[in-house]
Amino acid sequence: FSAVSISIDTKKNLWIGTNKGLLKFYNNIWTIFDTSNSDIPTNFALYLHITKGDTILIGSPAYGKWYFEFDGFSNWKIIDPKMFPSQMDVSNVNYEISTSKRWMTNRRFVGAVLYDGDKFTTYPTTNSGISSNEILGLAIDKNNNKYFGSEFAMGISKLDSSNSNWSVFGLGLYAAREIEIDRNGNIWWISKGVQALGGLFKATQDFNEVSVWNAHNSPLSSDPLSIAIDSNNNKWIGCNNGLFVFNEGGIINIDDKNFTIPDKFILHQNFPNPFSPTTIIKYELKFNATIKLKVYDLNGKLVKTLVNRKQTPGSYSVEFEGNNFSSGVYLYVLNIEDASGQRFRKTKRMLLLK
């Protein structure tokens, strides 16, 4: 299946929108809700957002127009597709806090769409300040400001809480497939590197500072698919090459017991740790594999590739020398691909002191 969107509820359940149904992951247990075991109207449950009350909002553009809501247990609320504006499909969903208003985006040249519980209202370029009619990304901050992103380089459009005033940032430069707001009010989005710069982006509220992480400076690919931000401000990014977790200040409070990697390799803690200026990283393989062992700083910048080759089963030791690097915490990441193409990944921290 394709993990098109990711969202996390208050109980730390990870929900994934896919083309094979709605997936739930918690405590190393996967649960799938599809048309064979639930009242979900379509298995193309692609676009998710979760309210503060843990209601799951779901939109699907495939095989008809679908918008529906799920309480996470057994109760489904399905909106009649006949109510949708003509030519509309659903590409993303979100909600205004403390209201019944649901916002949606779509690929069908309708612009942004508001559903107030009774009717739909469209905001195309002809009657609003939105920069494009073909909208994918959507986020709403704690003040009910709305952010809309196009798949193409049409910038990010902002609509204020009064639903009256528009602004556009990065026109001709940024695209945004998905948008999230962190607890500090920073805007995060992902973009596929075709007509716009691809990767994971972060902007301050005024867009005066913008950062990007992609294949050039991080383990991410340049065409990420989805993003979610948990209560600890960790960013979860779904890519074609795996699921990644990122936090500029260091990943916080992720229980490794809930994310079990098959017992096919072991990555040891470096020794000594802390270290100055050298340390040894050891790992063990139980099968033939292509190995990549890389070191990153906490900003996601690649600082050193230690291993990049095929290896046979056995124990390996690699020295990392830190004379040319500043003191601080670094991440060393072991990526493994077996003969079948299955990929595994493990990350550990080390502290360089000078």
Side-chain angles (χ1 to χ4, degrees):
F1 62 87
S2 297
V4 177
S5 59
I6 305 169
S7 201
I8 302 165
D9 66 22
T10 60
K11 303 178 184 67
K12 297 188 177 180
N13 297 303
L14 185 69
W15 295 88
I16 303 174
T18 83
N19 58 339
K20 301 293 184 180
L22 176 64
L23 295 183
K24 172 186 173 183
F25 181 65
Y26 180 72
N27 200 25
N28 212 31
I29 297 174
W30 291 94
T31 305
I32 185 167
F33 299 87
D34 60 25
T35 53
S36 70
N37 64 8
S38 73
D39 291 331
I40 192 171
T42 174
N43 286 336
F44 286 82
L46 300 185
Y47 300 102
L48 310 181
H49 194 87
I50 299 179
T51 70
K52 291 187 178 299
D54 283 343
T55 298
I56 305 167
L57 315 180
I58 308 166
S60 173
Y63 301 100
K65 308 168 185 178
W66 292 107
Y67 169 70
F68 44 101
E69 301 181 359
F70 180 44
D71 66 359
F73 298 98
S74 60
N75 298 310
W76 299 83
K77 177 183 177 181
I78 303 169
I79 306 303
D80 185 353
K82 295 179 181 178
M83 295 177 58
F84 284 71
S86 61
Q87 296 185 334
M88 177 188 170
D89 58 21
V90 182
S91 296
N92 218 323
V93 295
N94 209 318
Y95 74 107
E96 289 192 34
I97 299 170
S98 302
T99 77
S100 61
K101 295 178 180 178
R102 278 33 174 164
W103 286 85
M104 305 177 192
T105 62
N106 72 100
R107 299 173 183 263
R108 293 288 183 89
F109 306 105
V110 181
V113 179
L114 170 63
Y115 176 64
D116 63 6
D118 295 315
K119 66 181 184 303
F120 289 87
T121 303
T122 60
Y123 292 80
T125 56
T126 53
N127 70 5
S128 73
I130 200 166
S131 63
S132 173
N133 286 330
E134 196 167 6
I135 298 296
L136 291 181
L138 168 62
I140 302 176
D141 67 20
K142 63 182 180 181
N143 298 315
N144 282 336
N145 296 303
K146 276 71 66 177
Y147 299 85
F148 303 94
S150 171
E151 187 172 19
F152 307 108
M154 297 299 293
I156 294 177
S157 301
K158 176 183 176 182
L159 176 62
D160 71 3
S161 58
S162 70
N163 294 336
S164 302
N165 301 306
W166 290 86
S167 306
V168 179
F169 304 95
L171 184 64
L173 181 60
Y174 301 129
R177 177 183 293 179
E178 284 199 6
I179 309 173
E180 290 283 341
I181 312 294
D182 70 19
R183 65 189 182 193
N184 300 316
N186 298 306
I187 300 102
W188 294 78
W189 71 93
I190 57 171
S191 173
K192 187 174 182 179
V194 179
Q195 294 193 4
L197 180 63
L200 170 68
F201 293 79
K202 171 193 173 184
T204 53
Q205 295 181 46
D206 53 12
F207 280 79
N208 283 339
E209 297 181 20
V210 178
S211 304
V212 60
W213 295 267
N214 54 31
H216 299 291
N217 64 354
S218 79
L220 296 175
S221 69
S222 293
D223 58 345
L225 299 174
S226 52
I227 179 174
I229 301 177
D230 66 23
S231 58
N232 293 313
N233 238 16
N234 299 311
K235 289 77 186 176
W236 296 77
I237 305 103
C239 299
N240 287 322
N241 61 333
L243 178 65
F244 297 84
V245 187
F246 173 63
N247 195 324
E248 292 170 291
I251 296 168
I252 300 173
N253 194 27
I254 293 179
D255 185 356
D256 286 341
K257 295 178 182 178
N258 286 343
F259 298 89
T260 302
I261 296 174
D263 186 23
K264 295 182 178 180
F265 71 93
I266 299 172
L267 177 63
H268 295 280
Q269 186 64 51
N270 66 298
F271 183 83
N273 188 46
F275 66 97
S276 177
T278 61
T279 189
I280 300 296
I281 300 172
K282 294 183 178 181
Y283 58 94
E284 301 174 27
L285 296 179
K286 298 183 180 180
F287 58 100
N288 295 325
T290 299
I291 305 299
K292 294 181 180 179
L293 179 61
K294 299 182 178 182
V295 179
Y296 298 86
D297 65 20
L298 287 181
N299 290 323
K301 180 182 179 181
L302 175 66
V303 300
K304 185 74 172 180
T305 297
L306 300 176
V307 181
N308 186 5
R309 61 179 179 271
K310 293 182 179 180
Q311 292 183 324
T312 56
S315 298
Y316 296 87
S317 297
V318 181
E319 182 180 79
F320 175 68
E321 191 272 313
N323 277 331
N324 296 325
F325 305 109
S326 59
S327 298
V329 176
Y330 291 84
L331 306 176
Y332 58 99
V333 182
L334 183 65
N335 285 285
I336 294 178
E337 182 174 348
D338 65 17
S340 68
Q342 191 172 13
R343 296 173 178 174
F344 309 102
R345 173 187 171 92
K346 186 70 174 179
T347 302
K348 288 185 177 290
R349 296 188 189 189
M350 57 184 176
L351 177 61
L352 172 61
L353 297 178
K354 289 188 173 181

